[in-house]
Short mmCIF file of all heavy atoms in Angstrom, two decimals:
data_model
loop_
_atom_site.label_atom_id
_atom_site.label_comp_id
_atom_site.label_asym_id
_atom_site.label_seq_id
_atom_site.Cartn_x
_atom_site.Cartn_y
_atom_site.Cartn_z
N ALA U 110 -14.55 20.94 11.25
CA ALA U 110 -14.10 21.98 10.28
C ALA U 110 -13.48 23.13 11.10
O ALA U 110 -14.15 23.70 11.95
CB ALA U 110 -15.25 22.49 9.44
N ILE U 111 -12.24 23.41 10.79
CA ILE U 111 -11.52 24.52 11.43
C ILE U 111 -11.12 25.50 10.35
O ILE U 111 -10.57 25.12 9.34
CB ILE U 111 -10.19 24.02 12.13
CG1 ILE U 111 -10.51 22.84 13.10
CG2 ILE U 111 -9.52 25.17 12.82
CD1 ILE U 111 -11.22 23.17 14.35
N THR U 112 -11.45 26.75 10.56
CA THR U 112 -11.08 27.78 9.63
C THR U 112 -10.18 28.76 10.45
O THR U 112 -10.66 29.31 11.43
CB THR U 112 -12.25 28.50 9.02
OG1 THR U 112 -13.12 27.57 8.45
CG2 THR U 112 -11.83 29.51 7.93
N ALA U 113 -8.96 28.97 10.01
CA ALA U 113 -8.04 29.88 10.73
C ALA U 113 -7.50 30.93 9.76
O ALA U 113 -7.24 30.61 8.61
CB ALA U 113 -6.86 29.10 11.30
N SER U 114 -7.38 32.12 10.31
CA SER U 114 -6.98 33.26 9.46
C SER U 114 -6.21 34.29 10.32
O SER U 114 -6.44 34.39 11.55
CB SER U 114 -8.23 33.94 8.92
OG SER U 114 -7.90 35.13 8.26
N PRO U 115 -5.29 34.97 9.67
CA PRO U 115 -4.62 36.07 10.43
C PRO U 115 -5.54 37.25 10.67
O PRO U 115 -5.25 38.11 11.50
CB PRO U 115 -3.43 36.46 9.54
CG PRO U 115 -3.74 35.90 8.18
CD PRO U 115 -4.70 34.75 8.37
N SER U 116 -6.67 37.26 10.02
CA SER U 116 -7.65 38.37 10.13
C SER U 116 -8.39 38.28 11.46
O SER U 116 -8.51 37.19 12.04
CB SER U 116 -8.61 38.37 8.98
OG SER U 116 -9.63 37.48 9.18
N PRO U 117 -8.99 39.38 11.87
CA PRO U 117 -9.81 39.38 13.12
C PRO U 117 -11.10 38.57 12.99
O PRO U 117 -11.74 38.20 13.99
CB PRO U 117 -10.03 40.81 13.44
CG PRO U 117 -9.81 41.54 12.18
CD PRO U 117 -8.86 40.76 11.40
N MET U 118 -11.50 38.25 11.74
CA MET U 118 -12.74 37.57 11.55
C MET U 118 -12.59 36.00 11.54
O MET U 118 -13.56 35.25 11.65
CB MET U 118 -13.44 37.97 10.23
CG MET U 118 -13.74 39.44 10.14
SD MET U 118 -14.66 40.08 11.57
CE MET U 118 -16.21 39.31 11.28
N GLY U 119 -11.35 35.59 11.46
CA GLY U 119 -11.07 34.12 11.57
C GLY U 119 -11.58 33.27 10.40
O GLY U 119 -11.72 32.10 10.56
N GLY U 120 -11.79 33.91 9.29
CA GLY U 120 -12.28 33.16 8.15
C GLY U 120 -13.73 32.77 8.23
O GLY U 120 -14.14 31.73 7.75
N ASP U 121 -14.55 33.62 8.90
CA ASP U 121 -15.90 33.25 9.17
C ASP U 121 -16.77 33.02 7.92
O ASP U 121 -17.63 32.18 7.94
CB ASP U 121 -16.55 34.31 10.09
CG ASP U 121 -16.63 35.69 9.49
OD1 ASP U 121 -15.79 36.01 8.62
OD2 ASP U 121 -17.52 36.47 9.84
N LYS U 122 -16.49 33.70 6.84
CA LYS U 122 -17.28 33.50 5.61
C LYS U 122 -16.97 32.18 4.96
O LYS U 122 -17.84 31.49 4.51
CB LYS U 122 -17.07 34.70 4.69
CG LYS U 122 -17.69 35.99 5.24
CD LYS U 122 -17.28 37.20 4.40
CE LYS U 122 -17.75 38.49 5.06
NZ LYS U 122 -17.18 38.70 6.40
N ALA U 123 -15.70 31.86 4.92
CA ALA U 123 -15.31 30.53 4.35
C ALA U 123 -15.86 29.44 5.26
O ALA U 123 -16.36 28.43 4.74
CB ALA U 123 -13.78 30.41 4.29
N HIS U 124 -15.86 29.64 6.57
CA HIS U 124 -16.37 28.65 7.52
C HIS U 124 -17.87 28.42 7.25
O HIS U 124 -18.28 27.25 7.16
CB HIS U 124 -16.10 29.11 8.92
CG HIS U 124 -16.23 28.02 9.96
ND1 HIS U 124 -15.39 27.03 10.12
CD2 HIS U 124 -17.28 27.81 10.82
CE1 HIS U 124 -15.79 26.21 11.08
NE2 HIS U 124 -16.97 26.68 11.50
N ALA U 125 -18.62 29.48 7.14
CA ALA U 125 -20.02 29.36 6.87
C ALA U 125 -20.29 28.63 5.54
O ALA U 125 -21.20 27.72 5.50
CB ALA U 125 -20.70 30.75 6.89
N SER U 126 -19.56 28.98 4.52
CA SER U 126 -19.73 28.35 3.23
C SER U 126 -19.33 26.86 3.29
O SER U 126 -20.05 26.00 2.73
CB SER U 126 -18.87 29.05 2.20
OG SER U 126 -18.95 28.44 0.94
N LEU U 127 -18.24 26.53 3.98
CA LEU U 127 -17.85 25.17 4.11
C LEU U 127 -18.90 24.35 4.88
O LEU U 127 -19.21 23.21 4.42
CB LEU U 127 -16.50 25.10 4.87
CG LEU U 127 -15.92 23.73 5.18
CD1 LEU U 127 -15.68 22.94 3.90
CD2 LEU U 127 -14.63 23.86 6.01
N LEU U 128 -19.47 24.89 5.92
CA LEU U 128 -20.48 24.15 6.62
C LEU U 128 -21.73 23.90 5.77
O LEU U 128 -22.35 22.84 5.86
CB LEU U 128 -20.88 24.92 7.92
CG LEU U 128 -19.76 25.00 8.96
CD1 LEU U 128 -20.26 25.80 10.19
CD2 LEU U 128 -19.22 23.65 9.40
N LEU U 129 -22.09 24.85 4.89
CA LEU U 129 -23.23 24.65 4.01
C LEU U 129 -22.96 23.44 3.11
O LEU U 129 -23.86 22.57 2.91
CB LEU U 129 -23.48 25.90 3.17
CG LEU U 129 -24.12 27.08 3.85
CD1 LEU U 129 -24.09 28.34 2.94
CD2 LEU U 129 -25.55 26.70 4.25
N THR U 130 -21.74 23.40 2.55
CA THR U 130 -21.45 22.30 1.60
C THR U 130 -21.37 20.98 2.37
O THR U 130 -21.86 19.96 1.88
CB THR U 130 -20.14 22.59 0.85
OG1 THR U 130 -20.25 23.81 0.18
CG2 THR U 130 -19.82 21.47 -0.16
N LEU U 131 -20.72 20.94 3.54
CA LEU U 131 -20.63 19.71 4.31
C LEU U 131 -22.01 19.21 4.69
O LEU U 131 -22.26 18.00 4.68
CB LEU U 131 -19.77 19.93 5.54
CG LEU U 131 -18.26 20.10 5.28
CD1 LEU U 131 -17.53 20.53 6.55
CD2 LEU U 131 -17.66 18.80 4.68
N ASN U 132 -22.87 20.11 5.10
CA ASN U 132 -24.27 19.72 5.41
C ASN U 132 -24.97 19.16 4.20
O ASN U 132 -25.72 18.17 4.26
CB ASN U 132 -25.01 20.88 6.06
CG ASN U 132 -24.60 21.10 7.42
OD1 ASN U 132 -24.26 20.21 8.19
ND2 ASN U 132 -24.59 22.37 7.85
N MET U 133 -24.73 19.74 3.02
CA MET U 133 -25.38 19.33 1.79
C MET U 133 -24.93 17.90 1.42
O MET U 133 -25.76 17.08 0.89
CB MET U 133 -25.02 20.29 0.69
CG MET U 133 -25.89 20.13 -0.60
SD MET U 133 -25.13 18.82 -1.55
CE MET U 133 -26.23 18.59 -2.81
N ILE U 134 -23.69 17.54 1.70
CA ILE U 134 -23.21 16.14 1.37
C ILE U 134 -23.44 15.20 2.55
O ILE U 134 -22.88 14.09 2.55
CB ILE U 134 -21.73 16.15 0.91
CG1 ILE U 134 -20.80 16.70 1.94
CG2 ILE U 134 -21.59 16.91 -0.43
CD1 ILE U 134 -19.29 16.63 1.58
N ASN U 135 -24.20 15.67 3.53
CA ASN U 135 -24.62 14.86 4.66
C ASN U 135 -23.49 14.39 5.54
O ASN U 135 -23.53 13.27 6.12
CB ASN U 135 -25.44 13.65 4.19
CG ASN U 135 -26.78 14.08 3.60
OD1 ASN U 135 -27.51 14.85 4.21
ND2 ASN U 135 -27.05 13.64 2.41
N ALA U 136 -22.41 15.22 5.68
CA ALA U 136 -21.42 14.96 6.65
C ALA U 136 -22.03 15.19 8.05
O ALA U 136 -22.94 15.96 8.20
CB ALA U 136 -20.24 15.89 6.50
N GLN U 137 -21.55 14.43 9.03
CA GLN U 137 -22.04 14.70 10.41
C GLN U 137 -21.08 15.75 10.98
O GLN U 137 -20.11 15.46 11.65
CB GLN U 137 -21.96 13.42 11.26
CG GLN U 137 -22.46 13.61 12.65
CD GLN U 137 -22.15 12.41 13.52
OE1 GLN U 137 -21.95 11.32 13.10
NE2 GLN U 137 -22.10 12.65 14.83
N VAL U 138 -21.43 17.02 10.73
CA VAL U 138 -20.58 18.13 11.17
C VAL U 138 -20.73 18.27 12.70
O VAL U 138 -21.87 18.37 13.16
CB VAL U 138 -20.95 19.43 10.47
CG1 VAL U 138 -20.12 20.60 11.01
CG2 VAL U 138 -20.78 19.32 8.95
N LEU U 139 -19.59 18.26 13.38
CA LEU U 139 -19.63 18.46 14.81
C LEU U 139 -19.53 19.97 15.06
O LEU U 139 -18.44 20.52 15.18
CB LEU U 139 -18.47 17.68 15.47
CG LEU U 139 -18.39 16.21 15.11
CD1 LEU U 139 -17.20 15.54 15.76
CD2 LEU U 139 -19.69 15.50 15.51
N HIS U 140 -20.67 20.62 15.09
CA HIS U 140 -20.71 22.07 15.20
C HIS U 140 -20.04 22.61 16.44
O HIS U 140 -19.36 23.64 16.45
CB HIS U 140 -22.17 22.59 15.10
CG HIS U 140 -22.74 22.36 13.74
ND1 HIS U 140 -22.44 23.19 12.69
CD2 HIS U 140 -23.54 21.36 13.23
CE1 HIS U 140 -23.08 22.76 11.61
NE2 HIS U 140 -23.78 21.65 11.92
N GLU U 141 -20.19 21.89 17.60
CA GLU U 141 -19.56 22.34 18.83
C GLU U 141 -18.04 22.25 18.79
O GLU U 141 -17.32 22.88 19.53
CB GLU U 141 -20.14 21.55 20.03
CG GLU U 141 -19.61 20.14 20.14
CD GLU U 141 -20.21 19.11 19.15
OE1 GLU U 141 -21.14 19.46 18.41
OE2 GLU U 141 -19.65 17.97 19.15
N ALA U 142 -17.54 21.41 17.87
CA ALA U 142 -16.11 21.19 17.79
C ALA U 142 -15.47 21.94 16.61
O ALA U 142 -14.24 21.99 16.50
CB ALA U 142 -15.82 19.68 17.59
#
Side-chain angles (χ1 to χ4, degrees):
I111 308 288
T112 308
S114 172
S116 82
M118 301 308 290
D121 62 333
K122 291 170 187 62
H124 194 74
S126 177
L127 177 59
L128 294 179
L129 284 172
T130 303
L131 289 171
N132 285 324
M133 192 277 173
I134 60 176
N135 295 309
Q137 181 189 339
V138 177
L139 306 178
H140 292 281
E141 75 285 352

